[in-house]
Amino acid sequence: MLEIPDGNWWDWDVVAWDGARFVIGSNYDLSYSHSLELVFTDPVYVQCPALFHDPVFREPTPEEERLVRRTGEPFPVLVAFEAECGCAPMTGLIAAGGLEIVTGPVLRYWRDDADMEPGWRRAPWVTPPASSPSP
């Protein structure tokens, strides 16, 4: 079963998703930053909402394992969870080739490099503000 570091991991959302990685981030409040990322490499099956709350990670059921089984072999990583999603509970299931758990502040807003603390990062969508034309 997935074991995440101790912390107040209430809010979760999708940080990045491309052919090679599926990344979900968490914090007690996602307004300005997140401090935990689950980085799934080589994702092959993803059942996960864009935003969810207070997940309870659990062992996958035999039915979930059968759902994502390929050529009779289980995937190296299969994560199942129950979470709140809006007004209704939901089930999440992610099958992937690997998983890395990354901790540390990831800012969701622009901050100049000079103001960044060591180890801080920016979320992938954060870009410098556009310079405004002079009057």
Side-chain angles (χ1 to χ4, degrees):
M1 186 167 81
L2 176 65
E3 292 185 29
I4 58 174
D6 288 336
N8 190 358
W9 313 122
W10 168 254
D11 283 344
W12 292 75
D13 71 359
V14 175
V15 174
W17 192 355
D18 58 36
R21 298 178 326 133
F22 177 70
V23 182
I24 53 178
S26 181
N27 212 356
Y28 62 90
D29 178 359
L30 295 175
S31 299
Y32 299 105
S33 66
H34 63 269
S35 297
L36 174 69
E37 288 182 339
L38 304 184
V39 181
F40 295 90
T41 54
D42 300 321
V44 294
Y45 184 90
V46 175
Q47 176 182 309
C48 182
L51 175 66
F52 56 100
H53 309 285
D54 200 23
V56 176
F57 294 96
R58 60 171 175 75
E59 291 292 327
T61 65
E63 293 80 25
E64 290 168 332
E65 290 177 356
R66 278 193 295 278
L67 177 67
V68 298
R69 194 168 289 238
R70 64 175 176 184
T71 63
E73 304 268 334
F75 279 95
V77 174
L78 183 57
V79 173
F81 60 92
E82 306 297 327
E84 296 176 23
C85 182
C87 298
M90 57 76 58
T91 298
L93 185 64
I94 303 168
L99 171 64
E100 181 181 3
I101 298 173
V102 180
T103 59
V106 179
L107 302 180
R108 292 171 170 241
Y109 63 94
W110 179 257
R111 184 177 249 189
D112 288 326
D113 289 340
D115 296 329
M116 298 278 283
E117 297 288 331
W120 286 11
R121 299 176 289 134
R122 292 183 195 96
W125 61 86
V126 175
T127 58
S131 38
S132 53
S134 300

